[in-house]
Amino acid sequence: MAVNQSLTVTEVADSVNTADNTSKVRILWKSTQTGESWNGYERTAYYYVSINGSAETRYSVTYTLPAELTVTIVDVTIEVPHKDDGTGSVKVRTWMNTDISAGIIEKSEYLTLTTI
């Protein structure tokens, strides 16, 4: 039994706003349960976002892991301020306790924004 996770953090095309010194970033977290064990009960997962090296902000989301399906845990677009020099970065870290044999699963991704 396995729970396969994918996490992508991407800058949205044509989202750079030079007037506001911001970009839009999409966070997409998916999970696929394979094998005989699955968890149909609603659970809570967490993802943490750090912008430009700041302290992480924690967000929670509820999910289930139906057998042999891919589910979207998070699909959100956020507006990210760039630093004064026009650079920027986003780090996203996920945490999920599957409550099945896969146990705790964590992923992280780092994105350097297009310099304005």
Side-chain angles (χ1 to χ4, degrees), residues 4-115:
N4 299 311
Q5 302 273 308
S6 68
L7 173 63
T8 57
V9 181
T10 54
E11 195 168 1
V12 176
D14 301 322
S15 73
V16 174
N17 184 331
T18 55
D20 290 340
N21 200 31
T22 62
S23 292
K24 290 183 181 173
V25 171
R26 182 181 183 199
I27 301 168
L28 180 60
W29 177 16
K30 292 185 177 186
S31 182
T32 305
Q33 184 282 328
T34 60
E36 295 178 11
S37 182
W38 58 279
N39 186 342
Y41 297 103
E42 193 169 88
R43 312 269 309 144
T44 301
Y46 301 95
Y47 66 103
Y48 303 80
V49 179
S50 172
I51 296 172
N52 299 323
S54 67
E56 293 178 327
T57 300
R58 182 176 89 162
Y59 302 91
S60 64
V61 62
T62 56
Y63 72 95
T64 58
L65 291 176
E68 302 297 332
L69 291 176
T70 298
V71 294
T72 299
I73 307 297
V74 172
D75 187 356
V76 65
T77 300
I78 61 173
E79 189 170 75
V80 177
H82 290 242
K83 294 189 273 186
D84 290 341
D85 65 0
T87 63
S89 65
V90 178
K91 179 183 177 188
V92 177
R93 180 172 64 90
T94 64
W95 185 95
M96 169 191 286
N97 183 352
T98 64
D99 203 30
I100 52 180
S101 60
I104 294 173
I105 300 172
E106 298 176 276
K107 298 278 287 183
S108 64
E109 289 291 326
Y110 183 85
L111 173 67
T112 301
L113 300 176
T114 302
T115 301

